[in-house]
Amino acid sequence: MASATDTALVSEDTSETEAVAAGAVGLAAVLFALSLASVFELVTITDPVAGVPMVALLGGLLVVLGFAVVTFGVGSRLGYVATDPRPTAGLVASTAFGLVWFVVGGLVASQSLGFGTAGWVIGALVTGGAAFAVSAFPREDIGSTLPAGGLALFAGIVFLTGVIGPSWVWNLGWEQQASFNAEFTIPVLTAFCSLLVGWAAAKAYGGFGARGRHVGAYVLVYLNAISIIALLFLLVAFTVLKGLPGLFNGFAFGAGAGPEVTLVGLTFSLPVSWPFVMNGVALLNDVNGVLPAIAGTIWLVIGAVLFAVPLGVGAAVFITEYADRGRFTQVVEIATNGLWSTPSIVFGLFGLAFLVPRLGNQKSLLAGMLTLGFMLLPLVVITSRESMLAVPDEYRDASAALGVTKWQTIRSIVLPASLPGIVTGIILGVGRIAGETAPILLTMSGSVAPPGSQTVDVLGGFQFQSAPPFVTNPELMQATSALPYQLYSLITAGVGQSSNIGAIDEFRWATALILLVVVLGFYAVGIATRYYFRSKLQHD
Amino acid sequence: MNVLPDSDGAGLRAAARRGLRRSRDFVDETPPDALVTVTVAAVSLLAAFAGFLAVSSLTAVPFAVFLVATGYGWLRHQELTARVLTLTTTVSTILVLGLILVFIFAEAWPTVQYATVNVFGIPIPGLRLFIETRWSPVTPPIQYSLVPMIHGTVLVTIIATAVAAPLGVAAALFLSEIAPRTVREVVKPGVEILAGIPSIVYGFIGFTILSPWAADQFDIVGQGTYLFVGIVVGLMALPTVVSVAEDALNSVPESMKSGSLALGTTDWQTMTSITLPAAFSGVSAAVLLGVGRAIGETMAATVMLRGSPGLTKPLYNVFYGNDTLTSLIAANYGDADGLQLSALFVAGVILFVTVLFLSIGSQYIEARMRRKLGGAE
């Protein structure tokens, strides 16, 4: 507390220099955003912004930033700015700067100056070593600003002088050709430099030292978190925007708008007509849809849950409640964790080798259900076990003190108490398997674009007989479609296959969107359930 | 009570004796009809499993017997039946892993045998899969080399790890140490949802947006680059890294952090000199699991790559993407049979074993860390 007051009192100019440093951080952020925008081609680098060519603008801003940071560092070293630097910038920063300048030196020596292998290695080593020395040996205020600011100055001058201009291309000269062009290189270099300079400026803002490092690191960590969320938002928003037109193609709402359905002997028209989710693919359809795939996904999930949940919860009960901790529980834990991380395509191969030959020797809905059930199983075991372990032992002891058996304790105490966790785990697991493509690709893939008449009707398919196997269900034993598989086959299908779908691109995006909605719906419900139960627990 | 059996012979013998005594006590104490019921159920379930393995049409008979026996047991001897049923489910969970191992190994064997090479008179099965560099299942000479696909998987995994490890650990630090409560409540579900987006949707966006863009930007012939597959796969592995690393960081005792802060350090100093070193093994386990995810990722690679096995030229040219182990299986299972199908199973075995080792390795590391920190087991 005292020191904070002190700095504000002792040197009035501290706040001004802090404002300069903060301004540099802000400018770096603007520059970063600008370069990202031009990577994504929202602005092209040849377009002028306010009369200045984009390249010149980026270069000029880099020069300004670099100059500002270097000035700040030098000013601090000469004592014009009150800071609290350490004797050195630290090994991590020095190594990073050394590597960056090593690459810069190597590229300049080999590409711009045309040296041979020995030449560029020497050039790279000299520049890298110099940068390392500059950041490692002088005081921290010089060590962390000079290499960063210098790089920004260098890049800015390169852009301004047109060494890397809008028409610059660097052909890598590899056997399989590839080259860097200016539209990619300039924004990416700018983004990198602005990150580096932004970090240095943030350090300067914190007055170097422990506090400066704290500020510098926090800027990067926050930026990282923001980018992850922004990326997620972008992905979802993009899919939604692209998918909406196809999804609501021919959507109608009103009494009697929809197709006729018969429920419990009562025939009536649905008030909604939503062709994309109510139709299959057929030549005469006005709007083609993915009803068979939706039905297939729903049945897949139901089958997998029916298979995996009893097995998984049972296994979790045994290893948590009955078994003594030891070799056996260890083996089970290792096996479930191993199963959890097994690649989905391996489950598909297993289904192909184990289930398909034993279930009518053809790809079938049942094989897909069981394969996804195998995938869901470890997740159910892990989450159920976790939530059972979270049940306090006092509950069990209190129940046992009443003289009831172990199973009664489990049934009436442990299971109800851990139910929220189990349910959440199952819902999240279902979200994961509902979007899986690889396993069902190998075990139940049907036709690319099934017509509406191929919608599976598992309940109506049961047939009973007196000879073994007593119950048969042809609907379960034949291949069908599911949303992820449908999307995959739409991507890989040739022109001929997709000719009767019409606007194939719109159809694909709509399929992607509805898959995303189904899967993220499960996730949203799962996460909401968790928050609900957690808030309830906290109120208790 | 919960004594871990010693690993030496005497301990094992003692454990075996204990087990024997316990089972004898169990038989003595249990009413005979309960014992009979449980035995009938167990034997009939085994018979049903054997029937299923042998593709018998009579499988349903022992299964029906099992259902009847357990139904009777549930009504009359619920305690014992529940115990036996849960034991059965536990055993079948382990059995699934065993079955996967056995079946994919069995299917892979013909190609491994086909690719046998004699080295100084000693036949080494499968060696040719790794010393040739041509995948040519149709045009003679028939060669099933997995080297190009392993090369692809390695490149993709390296790029994906370079994306997922630093970003994931930074995000985990943010979530566990830095973020204010309200921010965490937004970011954490966000990361989980990122894990929830189906891989085929990532692949679709990559296929329609990223691949054409990359082909245009880098002036590449055709579409499909390991670079962008690696970046996309890295994003998909990111949530795994974040959640496991966050758990590891959270398991560092609060007293250690408070002790450091009480010395007057900044939050960041505490993180770099106390929290991260203490949780280092847990964080590296998270990265290992992320690597496992990246190796096994299938659909994004399948739709974004070219699907024509071969090495890139030069080997470090990441702007061309041919095939990974996973995409080889997904793209070729349909028209493969015989040895070629078996070669796909070899690819599956490589994936399975690699990822299993990564998983066991990361579990070992985590267990060691938990022991070291003395946290609650």
Side-chain angles (χ1 to χ4, degrees), chain B residues 319-331:
Chain B
F319 294 105
Y320 286 77
N322 296 321
D323 241 339
T324 61
L325 288 169
T326 50
S327 74
L328 178 83
I329 302 172

Side-chain angles (χ1 to χ4, degrees), chain A residues 224 227-229 231, chain B residues 160-172 191-192 194-195 202 231-245 286 289-291 293-294:
Chain A
N224 176 49
S227 336
I228 291 178
I229 294 303
L231 180 83
Chain B
T161 312
V163 172
L167 300 191
V169 175
V191 171
E192 269 175 296
L194 204 59
Y202 278 105
I231 292 175
V232 170
V233 169
L235 288 181
M236 300 169 69
L238 186 67
T240 309
V241 180
V242 174
S243 60
V244 181
L289 278 181
V291 170
R293 269 284 124 97

